[in-house]
Amino acid sequence: MKAGLLGIGKFVPPTIVTNADLEKRIDTSDEWIRTRTGIQERRIADETIDTSDMAYEAAKDALEAANIRPDQLGLILVATVTPDYTFPSVATMVQERLGATGAAAMDISAACAGFIYGIVTAKQFVEAGTYDYVLVIGVEKLSKIVNWEDRNTAVLFGDGAGAAVVGKVSEGRGILSFELGADGSGGKHLHRKEFIEMNGREVFKFAVRQMGETAVSVAEKAGLTKDDVDYLVPHQANIRIMEASRERLGLPTEKMSSTVHKYGNTSAASIPISLSDDLAEGRVKDDDIIVLVGFGGGLTWGGLCIKWGK
Ligand code: UT7
């Protein structure tokens, strides 16, 4: 039996920052942001909400959706580049708040591809029989590492958390294939010293190529063709990058998860947040073949092909 995603959860902070709000602070325009990125607004966590708080809320939501108790978890993995502290990890903070006393816990650093890296790691432990249930969280409070004076980056990012419980699913369903990759030579294009610094055009070119290739590649690794794919959940970085990967799979617009307009780019959280909304709004059904694909700083990338359902 394969590992699959038993339940998905999310948390986004309540404060909405619109493009019009940003127009008042920096030299930008709603029109520029919408046409270049597809973003209309993003959620920003205030000083009372840190990364671990959002991670905890998304985790509770995912456990409830999966109908799993915290004491059943063997491992908690948190993908983030914006932890509350260098240590303790966000994963250990969530472990304590959940009361998941039997779970090991660690953070994963793979930037926006972190959630995919986390799910693939969880899958190994579940299919090896080491742990019955692994909680994977993608969470970012990017607002604390964005330079709000830099229009090249300030308009792009948002805060939030998404989570999934990974465990065994019924015959034929689950994670059919995956791909993980990295190219450290591209690390200079997207990095953080004090703030996020990015060569947007270089990241854009890499993302369009890699997202499309990885989406097709995971379908093929599952013994399928791109025509078998029912739904695509791409990392919500920029609508133009997302559309390029959708076109590569030959899917119509409504068969792609798209929440970048309301949450911006939430890095490691974007895929589970978007999938959570898809499930809540009935866009993903049992036995659908879905492809999840992400890329990020590192550079890193990853993809999953899943036959949906428990
Ligand atoms: O999770 C991974 C994170 N990173 C990404 O996903 C980023 C990938 N890259 C992108 O999404 C795009 O490259 C951007 C959205 C960042 C930029 O779009 P672009 O079409 O590549 O624009 P550009 O960099 O070619 O810039 C065009 C112009 C520049 O002006 P000049 O030099 O042509 O006069 C920029 O200075 O747009 C200017 N510009 C802005 N103007 C208004 C850059 N940012 C802004 C802004 N408002 N916020």
Side-chain angles (χ1 to χ4, degrees):
M1 272 168 35
K2 291 188 187 332
L5 277 49
L6 303 176
I8 303 284
K10 79 153 204 251
F11 174 82
V12 290
T15 305
I16 295 173
V17 174
T18 64
N19 292 348
D21 295 329
L22 292 176
E23 279 178 346
K24 292 179 203 137
R25 294 164 66 161
I26 44 177
D27 179 17
T28 189
S29 68
D30 175 52
E31 202 266 333
W32 192 97
I33 302 170
R34 277 177 198 251
T35 54
R36 301 293 175 120
T37 72
I39 300 166
Q40 296 171 17
E41 57 188 47
R42 69 286 292 140
R43 302 299 181 97
I44 299 295
D46 66 22
E47 62 288 350
T48 66
I49 305 173
D50 210 341
T51 302
S52 62
D53 302 308
M54 295 189 283
Y56 170 66
E57 295 298 335
K60 276 198 306 186
D61 199 25
L63 286 164
E64 196 179 305
N67 198 20
I68 297 295
R69 299 184 313 273
D71 62 50
Q72 293 175 279
L73 294 172
L75 176 65
I76 299 172
L77 299 170
V78 175
T80 188
V81 294
T82 50
D84 303 35
Y85 312 107
T86 310
F87 64 89
S89 64
V90 176
T92 54
M93 296 170 80
V94 171
Q95 187 251 21
E96 197 257 332
R97 281 180 70 178
L98 286 175
T101 46
M106 67 172 171
D107 288 359
I108 292 178
S109 176
C112 310
F115 181 75
I116 305 283
Y117 268 73
I119 296 290
V120 171
T121 308
K123 165 187 154 68
Q124 309 306 318
F125 283 114
V126 167
E127 291 182 2
T130 315
Y131 301 122
D132 290 336
Y133 303 106
V134 179
L135 174 65
V136 181
I137 305 167
V139 56
E140 302 292 359
K141 186 173 177 179
L142 292 167
S143 59
K144 64 185 177 185
I145 63 164
V146 162
N147 176 357
W148 289 101
E149 309 296 315
D150 175 15
R151 69 176 184 174
N152 290 301
T153 52
V155 302
L156 302 176
F157 298 105
D159 300 334
V165 178
V166 178
K168 285 201 173 134
V169 292
S170 54
E171 197 62 43
R173 289 177 174 169
I175 300 167
L176 305 178
S177 65
F178 71 87
E179 179 175 307
L180 296 179
D183 175 8
S185 73
K188 56 185 175 289
H189 298 315
L190 178 54
H191 61 103
R192 177 199 173 189
K193 288 188 179 128
E194 185 183 1
F195 298 118
I196 298 174
E197 293 173 23
M198 182 176 71
N199 180 339
R201 280 184 202 179
E202 284 302 321
V203 177
F204 189 90
K205 280 191 285 183
F206 158 74
V208 166
R209 189 189 70 247
Q210 196 60 57
M211 294 270 277
E213 278 175 18
T214 303
V216 173
S217 153
V218 289
E220 287 172 355
K221 284 182 179 171
L224 304 170
T225 72
K226 65 188 181 64
D227 297 335
D228 297 312
V229 177
D230 296 305
Y231 200 75
L232 172 68
V233 188
H235 167 44
Q236 307 283 305
N238 175 321
I239 192 70
R240 293 185 291 150
I241 298 170
M242 293 156 54
E243 288 291 352
S245 51
R246 179 182 65 73
E247 283 164 15
R248 189 76 185 267
L249 285 175
L251 287 171
T253 316
E254 66 275 13
K255 293 293 181 185
M256 179 181 78
S257 186
S258 185
T259 56
V260 68
H261 60 287
K262 53 181 174 173
Y263 305 130
N265 177 351
T266 58
S267 187
S270 92
I271 290 174
I273 287 177
S274 218
L275 180 56
S276 174
D277 281 9
D278 294 331
L279 290 162
E281 291 158 26
R283 286 186 290 273
V284 172
K285 307 180 301 298
D286 279 359
D287 295 319
D288 278 353
I289 299 289
I290 71 167
V291 165
L292 277 49
V293 62
F295 73 94
L299 299 166
T300 55
W301 65 91
L304 296 163
C305 183
I306 302 174
K307 190 169 173 113
W308 193 256
K310 291 192 195 181

